[in-house]
Amino acid sequence: MTSTTMTAAPRLEQRVDAITGLRAVAALVILVYHAAGVTGFIGVSGVTGALLARGDLAVSVFFGLSGLLLFRPWARRIVDGTPAPGVGVYLRRRGLRILPGYWATVIVAMTLLAEPGGYTLAQWIQMLLLGQIYDPTPAWPNGGLGPQALGQMWSLSVEVAFYVTLPLIAWLIERYARRGRSRDARAARAMRALFAMGAVSFVFAITMFVPERIYWVHALLPHHAVFFAVGMVLALLLVWADGHSRGARRAAGLRDTIAASTSLCLTAAGLCYLLLSTPIIGRFGDPYTTLVHEEVRLVLHTCITFLLIAPVVCARPGQTGYARWLSGPVMRFLGLISYGIFLWQFVALEAIYRYTGEPYFSGGFWYVLPAAGLITLVLATLTYYLLEAPFSRVKGGTTAPAATPPGPAIVPSATAVALPAPAVVPSAPAVAPSATAVVPSPRAPEPAVVTRPRPAKRARRARPADGGHINALDGIRALAALVVLVFHVAAKTGLVEGWGAWLASRGDIGVAIFFTLSGLLLYRPWAKAVLAGTRAPRSRPYLLRRLFRIVPAYWLVAAIALTVFNHAHNASQWFWAKWLLLLQIYDVDSWWQRAEGRGIEQVWSLAVEVAFYLVLPLLAALLGWPARRATGTARRAGRLLAGLGLMAALSLGVVFAAHLPGVAPEANLLLPRYLLWFAPGMAMAVLSAWAELEPDGGLARFCSRVARLAPLSWAMALLVYAIASTPLTGPLHLGAVPAQEGVSKAILSALVGLFLVAPSAFAARRGGLANLVFGNPVARYLGKISYGIFLWQFVVIYGYYLVIGNTIFLGGDFWQVLGIAAAGTLLLSVASYHAVEEPFHKLGRYLSQPSAAGNRDRAPQVEPADA
């Protein structure tokens, strides 16, 4: 069947094998999670225990799969007007799918594994009808939501509640969506309704803590509605994409982009899970500590659920290695019996503990898990072939491996104890360059139509000259990162002898070079728009690209550093918030005096950089307002340069004031103090844009002359650096300095940035000495990974000290530590660039690109690849 004749209906059905495999993964994760909980492994096993402590995430994945599989007929009804599913037949199929196996498990658990005293008739009725979650005062022996051997069944009750209410939910969405006059309008309205459904969970979570914490409320459907909504959104997206309208083409583009970004989605899911495995959502064993913890948990579970399911349902069968693995025969079989794995796992665990006579939380995870796994797999296989498959063949049943009910979400009440939070190594998203957005044709459902490189080529052709990549700037960025590395090693090892010590102690001048580059690269689009009299770039795409470029890689490094090197602080929510959000420089209680933030001390400069990103649109508007009122390029450029001169003068005044006696040291970490270092780059942005608009003018010849005189400019930079490496700028290494010395260092650092960057800023795209020295392949590659070099260096240094037993994180031979730090930092930088930075930068560029239609008259959105 060709792509032009294939109908919309089979699209999701052809992915059922991979969905079945994903269900198997979720069921096995839940089994491991419960084994870790009942053995106490979560509380005593460090990083591994912390990772296993958040295995209840798999329940959210189960819920998402149910929303995806069960909502799809109603999604077609809403979008395309197909006949609605029969509610009676639908409910009968659901009953035949889940009740026989469930009732068999309940009978075995409540008879053969009954707790002392047995159970009342009301308790039997509650369990058989899955109504135990609605009893606000449960009288179960373990104080939980059912017998010890059936503690996971609360999540099946939530699933059944979704089954029963789904027809009503779909009817309400249809009533709202059918007000749309077109297919796209109906789909868009339905999508908004599903987002509103997801928001219900975040609002409902308040009832768990107001007026006081109520544990049993967590098991009600509204609390988990967002996870079902994730699957329903994906089902609607697939239905919407199978059409010919403009909206369908966009939906298809998003669908295929997700499929092409499978590795990115999985990487992001892993990073989110590592973040989830920290105290950010509360104590281990008690995931409902406070309302804030619960809201954060909902956000992370929602993100991970989407990132795990979306690549499976959006990719064509066999398109990705992820889908092929999930579709393999072993995973398909485990997926078929996954409902049984869910049903029998606590029965197996309870039987093992009854047989051995050991109390819960007594250890033995590594033998309990294999034993429980074997028993569970055997019972699950028997249940599938003796009960599930036969009843699925009954008239009104379904033979398709539709929505298997989810696994358990938490260890039952007896096991849900407050365990100590083990040390974990979380991680967070990252960023990086790569621009291959996938924009498929309107009707390209299944065949391998390889047209993906074309959008990227069009984007490159549309980019204006001032947004082109300047190769020579890559090498300068690499040089700055390496200089900062040398500076940090010198400070940590106490290098204090000779001129080498003085030169190394001024390596923080690399920060000034970074800021100069940022001012040049990020301000160029605004400068050119003012000089050309065109509309300024839009702020939203610019900020979105900055977000994806900076935050994910930083979160990865920060989560590792804060967890491994900051045990004394990482239980504080404010500690995590201020470092992850780069707010530590605004903490009036100096973090460095508390030995806080070990491993990422250098990111104070990243916090300043981010502050510059946020204020740049406003700053550009203020600088551009008087310039736009002038006529002629020269006059406008003159006013821009005058404004930048005033900005630099005001910044220099802040530098002086920040070094006065009695001024808090935090004043030296705020953006106004460093605008002096951004100003040279912004001035070069104005000059380069001016020369481009008037290529035959005198300024263009001046810029070319600067590029040709690169050796002289670099010699000036070295001379100024040598002057800065004297007592004129303060004592050896960092320390409190008088105002005069602080001002001298600030001015000299700005001049180094200016003289070093100027030849490359004005150089041609190819050729010339600047490109030979700083634009060669090695320098360019080091420039690409320079952000990683900046981020990872302290993690490697501190890690080395831990290995050799140096717990004060100071001392050592300079050259030895430098060699180890350089090697480790480069390796980690290469890995994080390709695995984290590049995929996320690709995603940021795709999300920030204006659509082809409706934006033709807008100013081009430019972000140089060098930024």
Side-chain angles (χ1 to χ4, degrees):
M1 183 178 294
T2 66
S3 63
T4 57
T5 59
M6 184 170 292
T7 60
R11 291 195 56 82
L12 185 57
E13 283 77 349
Q14 293 178 357
R15 294 158 173 79
V16 163
D17 284 346
I19 294 172
T20 301
L22 182 58
R23 208 163 53 233
V25 173
L28 294 174
V29 168
I30 287 292
L31 172 61
V32 174
Y33 164 70
H34 281 142
V38 299
T39 59
F41 185 78
I42 287 174
V44 298
S45 301
V47 174
T48 305
L51 294 173
L52 297 184
R54 305 311 192 199
D56 60 320
L57 164 77
V59 176
S60 304
V61 176
F62 273 121
F63 290 162
L65 290 173
S66 292
L68 167 73
L69 295 166
L70 297 180
F71 182 64
R72 52 184 173 165
W74 277 282
R76 295 193 191 102
R77 165 71 176 177
I78 293 169
V79 176
D80 296 324
T82 58
V87 175
V89 174
Y90 155 78
L91 292 176
R92 184 165 59 252
R93 288 176 175 174
R94 291 293 89 210
L96 291 170
R97 179 70 184 87
I98 66 168
L99 290 178
Y102 170 70
W103 283 342
T105 308
V106 170
I107 292 171
V108 170
M110 295 181 68
T111 53
L112 299 182
L113 298 174
E115 287 149 318
Y119 308 104
T120 65
L121 177 60
Q123 290 174 328
W124 272 94
I125 293 174
Q126 280 186 4
M127 291 307 303
L128 290 173
L129 298 182
L130 288 160
Q132 74 277 16
I133 65 173
Y134 305 106
D135 184 357
T137 56
W140 296 102
N142 67 352
L145 298 176
Q148 183 69 36
L150 298 172
Q152 82 277 27
M153 297 302 183
W154 71 264
S155 59
L156 185 57
S157 298
V158 175
E159 185 87 6
V160 169
F162 175 70
Y163 295 164
V164 173
T165 58
L166 178 58
L168 176 61
I169 294 172
W171 179 78
L172 292 173
I173 295 175
E174 181 186 357
R175 293 274 296 181
Y176 172 72
R178 69 185 184 185
R179 297 178 183 177
R181 297 184 178 181
S182 65
R183 186 177 188 272
D184 287 348
R186 291 192 299 272
R189 291 177 72 87
M191 194 68 74
R192 288 195 292 269
L194 291 174
F195 276 94
M197 173 182 168
V200 168
S201 294
F202 296 91
V203 177
F204 185 81
I206 299 174
T207 64
M208 296 172 56
F209 302 93
V210 178
E212 60 184 10
R213 179 179 168 184
I214 306 174
Y215 175 76
W216 70 276
V217 174
H218 88 277
L220 300 182
L221 174 61
H223 184 215
H224 306 278
V226 64
F227 309 126
F228 293 103
V230 168
M232 296 166 74
V233 164
L234 288 171
L236 181 61
L237 175 66
L238 295 182
V239 172
W240 192 358
D242 287 318
H244 302 278
S245 63
R246 178 180 175 184
R249 291 192 295 272
R250 290 181 176 177
L254 177 59
R255 178 198 64 201
D256 288 3
T257 298
I258 293 173
S261 305
T262 295
S263 59
L264 173 62
C265 291
L266 296 181
T267 300
L271 297 177
C272 289
Y273 187 82
L274 289 176
L275 183 60
L276 187 71
S277 302
T278 70
I280 197 171
I281 66 167
R283 298 187 302 269
F284 295 111
D286 184 7
Y288 307 106
T289 306
T290 67
L291 177 59
V292 174
H293 291 139
E294 176 55 15
E295 297 287 6
V296 173
R297 187 192 74 89
L298 287 173
V299 170
L300 290 175
H301 275 228
T302 302
C303 293
I304 299 172
T305 299
F306 176 84
L307 291 169
L308 291 178
I309 297 177
V312 175
V313 301
C314 291
R316 296 186 298 273
Q319 179 182 355
T320 64
Y322 179 48
R324 288 193 297 272
W325 175 67
L326 292 175
S327 302
V330 174
M331 298 307 299
R332 287 205 312 271
F333 174 75
L334 292 174
L336 289 176
I337 65 171
S338 60
Y339 182 40
I341 295 174
F342 157 71
L343 290 175
W344 291 106
Q345 53 187 263
F346 254 121
V347 171
L349 290 168
E350 180 73 9
I352 290 171
Y353 276 94
R354 295 281 185 95
Y355 178 78
T356 60
E358 295 288 334
Y360 276 102
F361 315 114
S362 59
F365 169 75
W366 295 111
Y367 75 81
V368 170
L369 176 61
L374 179 60
I375 296 172
T376 300
L377 289 175
V378 171
L379 292 175
T381 302
L382 293 174
T383 303
Y384 177 76
Y385 286 107
L386 296 179
L387 292 174
E388 296 179 58
F391 275 96
S392 292
R393 289 192 290 268
V394 174
K395 185 177 181 180
T398 176
T399 57
T404 297
I410 58 169
V411 181
S413 207
T415 65
V417 295
L419 301 176
V424 291
V425 184
S427 126
V431 278
S434 178
T436 51
V438 179
V439 183
S441 59
R443 295 284 293 177
E446 306 304 332
V449 180
V450 183
T451 58
R452 288 174 170 76
R454 293 181 180 176
K457 290 180 181 178
R458 287 196 296 269
R460 285 194 293 269
R461 286 196 298 268
R463 179 181 290 179
D466 68 291
H469 189 95
I470 303 176
N471 294 336
L473 295 179
D474 286 332
I476 294 178
R477 203 163 55 241
L479 175 64
L482 294 173
V483 166
V484 170
L485 172 62
V486 173
F487 162 72
H488 286 146
V489 173
K492 283 295 179 183
T493 57
L495 183 66
V496 295
E497 295 181 359
W499 272 101
W502 280 96
L503 292 172
S505 73
R506 297 301 187 256
D508 58 337
I509 213 164
V511 176
I513 298 172
F514 275 126
F515 289 176
T516 301
L517 289 170
S518 292
L520 166 65
L521 296 167
L522 297 179
Y523 184 58
R524 282 193 304 179
W526 276 278
K528 185 176 180 182
V530 171
L531 297 181
T534 58
R535 184 178 300 180
R538 290 184 299 150
S539 298
R540 181 179 176 277
Y542 152 79
L543 293 174
L544 191 63
R545 287 192 292 268
R546 291 294 88 206
L547 173 70
F548 280 86
R549 180 66 183 90
I550 294 298
V551 170
Y554 166 65
W555 277 0
L556 168 63
V557 177
I560 293 174
L562 296 180
T563 305
V564 177
F565 305 120
N566 295 270
H567 301 292
H569 307 281
N570 63 14
S572 166
Q573 295 299 312
W574 166 239
F575 171 83
W576 280 94
K578 71 180 179 182
W579 283 98
L580 290 178
L581 299 178
L582 291 166
L583 300 176
Q584 78 279 9
I585 64 173
Y586 308 105
D587 189 350
V588 294
D589 188 8
S590 303
W591 50 268
W592 59 87
Q593 295 178 358
R594 300 191 301 269
E596 183 185 303
R598 285 175 170 171
I600 50 172
E601 295 102 314
Q602 80 280 22
V603 300
W604 69 265
S605 60
L606 184 60
V608 175
E609 182 96 4
V610 169
F612 176 73
Y613 296 162
L614 295 176
V615 304
L616 179 57
L618 176 60
L619 188 60
L622 292 175
L623 292 170
W625 180 76
R628 287 182 179 274
R629 303 172 74 89
T631 57
T633 304
R635 287 178 176 271
R636 289 175 176 175
R639 292 192 180 186
L640 285 179
L641 293 173
L644 289 171
L646 177 61
M647 182 185 80
L650 293 175
S651 177
L652 192 60
V654 175
V655 173
F656 180 85
H659 285 85
L660 292 176
V663 177
E666 291 83 2
N668 277 290
L669 300 180
L670 302 181
L671 174 63
R673 187 237 188 272
Y674 296 98
L675 288 176
L676 176 65
W677 294 354
F678 289 101
M682 298 172 72
M684 286 186 281
V686 175
L687 295 176
S688 62
W690 184 3
E692 182 182 349
L693 292 173
E694 296 182 357
D696 298 325
L699 180 67
R701 291 190 293 273
F702 168 78
C703 292
S704 297
R705 190 177 302 113
V706 171
R708 289 195 301 270
L709 295 177
L712 177 60
S713 185
W714 295 337
M716 291 294 295
L718 285 175
L719 176 61
V720 175
Y721 184 79
I723 296 173
S725 301
T726 67
L728 178 65
T729 58
L732 191 68
H733 298 300
L734 292 176
V737 298
Q740 181 179 352
E741 296 173 355
V743 171
S744 298
K745 185 174 183 179
I747 295 175
L748 293 174
S749 298
L751 291 175
V752 169
L754 174 64
F755 288 128
L756 181 65
V757 174
S760 299
F762 300 138
R765 294 291 182 261
R766 298 177 182 176
L769 188 59
N771 281 292
L772 178 64
V773 175
F774 291 114
N776 63 76
V778 175
R780 289 178 59 192
Y781 187 79
L782 290 175
K784 287 183 178 179
I785 64 171
S786 60
Y787 184 44
I789 295 173
F790 164 78
L791 289 177
W792 285 107
Q793 51 189 261
F794 263 126
V795 171
V796 175
I797 294 171
Y798 278 88
Y800 169 70
Y801 282 145
L802 280 182
V803 170
I804 65 175
N806 183 344
T807 57
I808 61 173
F809 304 109
L810 289 171
D813 179 73
F814 169 78
W815 293 108
Q816 181 181 8
V817 176
L818 178 61
I820 293 172
T825 300
L826 288 174
L827 288 175
L828 289 174
S829 300
V830 171
S832 65
Y833 173 77
H834 292 288
V836 179
E837 292 183 57
E838 188 174 22
F840 273 94
H841 196 208
K842 170 186 174 182
L843 178 61
R845 292 184 64 82
Y846 170 77
L847 294 177
S848 62
Q849 279 185 346
S851 60
N855 291 280
R856 295 169 182 167
D857 297 329
R858 295 182 180 178
Q861 301 305 307
V862 179
E863 182 199 19
D866 311 84

